[in-house]
Amino acid sequence: MSRILRVAAAQSGPIQRAESRQAVVARLIEMLDRAAEKKCDLVVFTELALTTFFPRWYMTDQAEVDAWFERDMPSLATRPLFERAQKHGIAFKLGYAELTPDGHRFNTAILVGRDGKLLGKYRKVHLPGHGEFDPARSFQHLEKRYFEPGDIGFPVWRAMGGVIGMCICNDRRWPETWRMLGLQGVELVALGFNTPSVNSQKADEGPAQRAFQHRLSMQAGAYQNATWAVAVAKCGVEDGHPLMGGTMIVDPNGEIVAEAQTEDDELVMWDCDLDATRFGKETVFDFARHRRIEHYGRITSQTAATPPDK
Ligand code: CDV
């Protein structure tokens, strides 16, 4: 059986604060239709794909905050996306803000199968930013205010003939994320990101450096775990706030094989041969033969770095 998965990374251009869910979903459906025309198997949408990147806004009214969240999935607004994907027989990955029935809020991604049914869910573990208004920053990044850290770890799923995993934005900068997925034999990692083009705490860390760090994280994560990796941006200028592009598909050698050219809605496609993950998994990154877990205890027993005394 062929293990080639035709993947479309569906980059979102900017979503303004005033844009409705219905208008955004119509844009996603338009990309889904184009992916279907090209006979794609899987469409990867971005992080918080239904709204502007609202954690840049400081809010104190919980009702105002909750308006950015989905209580059901599919919701009324997203049902047409599910129906169209099912009609095309395309699987998709979607990021959104999740409000659970018992009142928990997560930055979430779901994997939906070709039949329109939920295959898997991931909740962002590494939440960046801060919980209170920070006047020292050039803009706010309040993910720690609006979300709880994910509570379901880093699952993977057997789907579409392979082993699929997800993570979300800041997770890609953490080798722990990749290794947790790698240790479950992941063959394709799908993620979305909203990365401001400039560091809010360091004005001279601009677009070039941000793009470099993004590539470095993606390429290292893919190579060191011998997996395909698909990273999908929301980018362009949202209400005066620029987000970087850089949607890309990375092969299991860590090479970028396809990359977006714009900061708008754009499809980036590639035929990902899942068997191409085998060589790395059976040689230099054959974990069973080469990992030395007797030396890795600190990774799960401490958070802060503890340099030795002088
Ligand atoms: N949405 C994100 O997680 N953004 C972070 C920014 C704050 C650095 C990122 O890692 O891209």
Side-chain angles (χ1 to χ4, degrees):
M1 190 186 113
S2 159
R3 295 225 304 145
I4 294 179
L5 210 57
R6 183 165 290 181
V7 177
Q11 173 172 287
S12 288
I15 301 173
Q16 307 309 327
R17 196 172 181 169
E19 206 164 334
S20 72
R21 298 279 208 290
Q22 284 73 13
V24 174
V25 169
R27 285 168 53 183
L28 301 184
I29 290 176
E30 209 269 319
M31 288 198 279
L32 186 81
D33 286 347
R34 282 197 276 131
E37 268 169 37
K38 300 282 184 193
K39 309 233 171 310
C40 290
D41 301 296
L42 170 67
V43 176
V44 180
F45 294 113
T46 191
E47 173 191 33
L48 301 176
L50 303 174
T51 65
T52 195
F53 190 71
F54 67 85
R56 71 168 67 89
W57 305 114
Y58 178 68
M59 294 172 274
T60 53
D61 174 2
Q62 195 57 49
E64 187 188 351
V65 174
D66 285 347
W68 300 106
F69 283 74
E70 312 301 316
R71 288 171 173 76
D72 305 298
M73 191 52 68
S75 53
L76 205 58
T78 53
R79 191 167 293 282
L81 176 69
F82 281 68
E83 287 171 355
R84 189 68 64 90
Q86 187 181 1
K87 181 170 155 247
H88 290 314
I90 297 189
F92 68 95
K93 176 251 150 206
L94 179 74
Y96 65 100
E98 177 190 16
L99 174 52
T100 69
D102 55 347
H104 296 281
R105 294 171 185 80
F106 299 103
N107 185 339
T108 294
I110 49 169
L111 185 61
V112 178
R114 296 179 195 277
D115 57 1
K117 299 219 170 76
L118 188 73
L119 270 174
K121 178 179 278 191
Y122 169 72
R123 291 171 173 154
K124 186 174 184 175
V125 166
H126 299 101
L127 296 174
H130 48 114
E132 293 302 329
F133 187 85
D134 180 357
R137 293 179 185 241
S138 54
F139 53 89
Q140 305 296 296
H141 194 107
L142 291 152
E143 284 196 61
K144 285 193 195 297
R145 182 176 185 84
Y146 302 132
F147 302 116
E148 295 171 46
D151 60 351
I152 43 186
F154 296 97
V156 301
W157 300 273
R158 272 208 181 275
M160 291 167 283
V163 181
I164 314 291
M166 297 188 282
C167 65
I168 301 180
C169 194
N170 190 258
D171 286 322
R172 75 196 188 286
R173 303 184 193 275
W174 296 85
E176 293 87 344
T177 302
W178 295 96
R179 190 47 49 90
M180 286 302 296
L181 295 168
L183 282 169
Q184 299 169 84
V186 78
E187 295 174 319
L188 188 141
V189 177
L191 68 99
F193 64 93
N194 285 254
T195 300
S197 305
V198 176
N199 188 328
S200 64
Q201 297 172 288
K202 195 177 178 210
D204 61 359
E205 188 183 300
Q209 209 173 345
R210 298 289 257 191
F212 168 75
Q213 292 157 351
H214 163 58
R215 288 203 184 99
L216 189 66
S217 303
M218 289 302 301
Q219 293 183 261
Y223 167 65
Q224 291 170 351
N225 295 277
T227 181
W228 289 93
V230 181
V232 181
K234 172 138 68 60
C235 50
V237 182
E238 292 190 335
D239 296 295
H241 294 269
L243 296 167
M244 61 172 250
T247 291
M248 62 174 63
I249 300 178
V250 185
D251 77 12
N253 295 312
E255 303 264 12
I256 299 170
V257 292
E259 204 169 5
Q261 302 302 314
T262 72
E263 291 190 352
D264 277 315
D265 291 2
E266 180 180 345
L267 280 189
V268 174
M269 282 174 272
W270 196 259
D271 284 342
C272 300
D273 178 359
L274 301 181
D275 285 332
T277 62
R278 287 214 175 128
F279 181 75
K281 288 186 192 300
E282 290 168 5
T283 58
V284 71
F285 297 116
D286 179 349
F287 294 158
R289 277 195 293 146
H290 306 308
R291 293 185 80 241
R292 302 270 34 133
I293 56 174
E294 66 274 29
H295 299 297
Y296 303 158
R298 281 183 191 276
I299 288 181
T300 54
S301 63
Q302 72 182 65
T303 50
T306 54
D309 294 336
K310 280 215 178 93

